[in-house]
Every structure is written in C-alpha cells, then in structure tokens.
Amino acid sequence: MASASGSFCGVCEAQDVVKEAAFWCPECNEGICTSCEKHHRSSRGTKHHEITSMNDYKQLPPIIASINQYCPEHDKKYQLYCSQHEQLCCPLCITTNHKKCDLLAIDEIVKTSRNSALFEIMEQNLKEMKNNIDRIVEDRRQNLEIIKQQRQGFQTDIKEMRAKINIHLDKLEQEIQQDLQAAEQKVMSQINRFVQKVSDHEKTIDELQNNIAATKRFATDLQTFFGGKMFEAKIQEEEKFMTSLIEDSGYNKYTYNVN
Ligand SMILES: [Zn+2]
Ligand SMILES: [Zn+2]
Ligand SMILES: [Zn+2]
Ligand SMILES: [Zn+2]
C-alpha cells in the first residue's frame, strides 16, 4: 500500500523512482504511470481493478476522493457496512467494534446505490431550492420596486400640495395688499378732509390776528370797544372748534388693524 499522494505512480515510488501518474486505481488507492498501467491491466491480482484517468480523478470533489476502500486503522479492505454506526468496516473492525451489529455486504449496497433514485432526488431538491431562492429574491426586488414607486408618488403629492399652498399664499398676499392700500386710501382722504377743515380755521385765526393788531393801532376808542366784543365772540367760536377737534374722534391717530 503506497501513500495516496495521487500525483505520482505508486508502483514506481516504491522503487524510489518518481514518475507522474496518468491513472488512478481506487482499489490500490494509488496513482499509476503509463509504463506501469500495462502491467496493472494484465497482472492477475489487479486486472479487474477499474482504473480512471488522472484527469477524471482530479474532477472529484476532495471530500469524495478522500473516501477510499481501505480501513485506515487496520489497512484492510472494507467489506461490510454497519448501518447502526453508519460506518464501513474491514474484517478486523467487525471483530473489535461491531461484534453485535447488523452488517451488510458492501458489494450489495454499492450495486443498488448507483441505480437508486437518490441522486436524482437530491438534484431535484437542490433545483427546487434554487428556484425558491430566485422567487424569494424576485419577491423582495418587487417589494423594493413598490416602495420606490410609493416614495415617488408621495414626492409628487408633496410637490402638488406645495404648489397649491403657494398659489393660496400668493392670493392671500394680494388680498392683504389690496386691503392695506384701500385702508391707506381711506385714511388719506379722511386726513386730507381734516387738514382742509383745520387750515380753513387757521385762515380765520390769521385774519383775527391781523384785524386785532390793526384795530389796536388804528381804530378809535369806540371802534376798539365794539370791535373787541366782536373779536371776543369770534375767538369763542374758534375755541369751541378747537375743543371739538380734541374731543372728536377725527383727531385720534389712525392705525392699521392687522389680524
Ligand atoms: Zn510506474
Ligand atoms: Zn489496482
Ligand atoms: Zn478496520
Ligand atoms: Zn457497528
């Protein structure tokens, strides 16, 4: 039994010759070079061994390639399978660890396993799992698409709402400005009327001042006496007017009533 290094011919290695293996014999659990292959095929002990090309052997997953036909503990070929321990057994294993176990001949199990539907079922299961994964991923992708569309919908709504609010605010602003202008206009005409009225009286007062000054300088005593009475009466009228101005609401300051 050579070590299963795999890359070199086991037979040559045993004779200290290093030669690359071109074939693999699972029965011998070793590589075979092209020169040794002929002998391996014709020799009585090995001619029934099913060898495979090294390329095919290397395609095997390592976990499968590591399953060999020899018990590593006793270096004997496996012959039986213990279903209780789920273990392959060589004749020595049986006498030590599986004395009371139900054992099946490996040749029989192996024959049925290649023909059983197990691999088809496993492949089918894996295919279904992948389909499920595809479906789940597609479902999430669609979910995301819906979320995206909803977000865009909300953004459009917000923009429309914003535009409506802007229009409404523009209208409000316009109305308030019109109201303000109208109010100012109203106050302006009231104040103009008031100022006009007051300046009329101012003229009267100017006249009285001039007349009194002239009377003082140029009038006779009699004229001064009667004129004084007349002026007094007129001044009283003007005083009444001034009092009415102060009491009148027209004298109050105008302000805006902004709510
Ligand atoms: Zn060789
Ligand atoms: Zn062999
Ligand atoms: Zn064993
Ligand atoms: Zn057992």
Side-chain angles (χ1 to χ4, degrees):
M1 273 303 300
S3 66
S5 68
S7 298
F8 303 106
C9 174
V11 182
C12 292
E13 227 173 15
Q15 296 158 47
D16 291 331
V17 178
V18 176
K19 264 190 148 184
E20 206 178 325
F23 302 92
W24 177 259
C25 176
E27 297 271 336
C28 302
N29 196 35
E30 65 185 9
I32 301 160
C33 71
T34 41
S35 323
C36 296
E37 185 231 346
K38 252 184 201 158
H39 182 258
H40 188 270
R41 276 194 201 283
S42 53
S43 175
R44 196 144 51 94
T46 57
K47 67 177 171 191
H48 297 299
H49 292 180
E50 281 180 37
I51 62 170
T52 55
S53 81
M54 208 59 201
N55 281 342
D56 285 358
Y57 174 68
K58 281 178 178 166
Q59 303 287 324
L60 279 177
I63 194 167
I64 298 301
S66 71
I67 301 171
N68 67 53
Q69 307 192 12
Y70 285 84
C71 168
E73 206 180 319
H74 306 107
D75 207 13
K76 298 243 178 255
K77 202 174 171 190
Y78 290 130
Q79 287 179 354
L80 295 160
Y81 176 72
C82 169
S83 52
Q84 269 127 300
H85 294 98
E86 291 188 336
Q87 269 176 4
L88 293 166
C89 308
C90 78
L92 279 175
C93 293
I94 300 160
T95 59
T96 55
N97 301 324
H98 305 275
K99 275 179 191 161
K100 290 174 183 168
C101 298
D102 285 331
L103 300 162
L104 301 163
I106 286 176
D107 290 349
E108 291 305 311
I109 312 171
V110 169
K111 251 185 247 165
T112 53
S113 76
R114 192 173 277 279
N115 297 327
S116 83
L118 180 64
F119 272 72
E120 271 77 45
I121 291 167
M122 288 193 297
E123 283 179 320
Q124 190 58 36
N125 279 347
L126 291 172
K127 209 170 139 191
E128 276 168 21
M129 279 193 260
K130 279 192 78 172
N131 284 344
N132 280 337
I133 287 171
D134 287 350
R135 261 209 309 277
I136 290 165
V137 169
E138 176 59 18
D139 181 68
R140 295 296 87 180
R141 203 190 59 72
Q142 282 178 2
N143 191 174
L144 188 62
E145 189 57 36
I146 289 168
I147 292 287
K148 197 172 147 193
Q149 283 169 3
Q150 283 177 339
R151 190 254 304 153
Q152 285 168 344
F154 288 140
Q155 281 181 334
T156 310
D157 288 353
I158 289 169
K159 266 189 191 148
E160 281 171 6
M161 180 64 77
R162 173 73 189 245
K164 276 184 196 164
I165 291 171
N166 280 350
I167 289 168
H168 182 67
L169 286 178
D170 285 348
K171 213 178 124 202
L172 268 186
E173 188 189 359
Q174 234 173 22
E175 282 172 7
I176 290 169
Q177 280 186 351
Q178 282 169 358
D179 287 353
L180 286 174
Q181 273 173 4
E184 187 187 333
Q185 205 65 45
K186 195 178 158 198
V187 169
M188 196 161 77
S189 57
Q190 281 173 343
I191 287 177
N192 283 344
R193 271 203 304 278
F194 177 82
V195 169
Q196 186 59 49
K197 199 159 86 177
V198 170
S199 66
D200 286 348
H201 284 275
E202 196 185 11
K203 272 183 209 150
T204 310
I205 290 166
D206 283 345
E207 238 174 68
L208 279 169
Q209 280 179 321
N210 290 336
N211 290 347
I212 285 170
T215 304
K216 263 172 80 183
R217 283 183 65 188
F218 307 114
T220 63
D221 288 348
L222 188 73
Q223 283 171 330
T224 304
F225 175 73
F226 279 106
K229 294 278 177 199
M230 263 161 44
F231 292 144
E232 228 180 350
K234 284 205 167 171
I235 287 168
Q236 264 175 15
E237 264 176 50
E238 290 310 312
E239 275 173 349
K240 234 188 251 168
F241 169 72
M242 290 307 290
T243 311
S244 80
L245 267 191
I246 291 160
E247 285 167 358
D248 192 15
S249 63
Y251 185 67
N252 291 340
K253 255 188 192 155
Y254 293 99
T255 53
Y256 285 119
N257 284 322
V258 180
N259 297 318

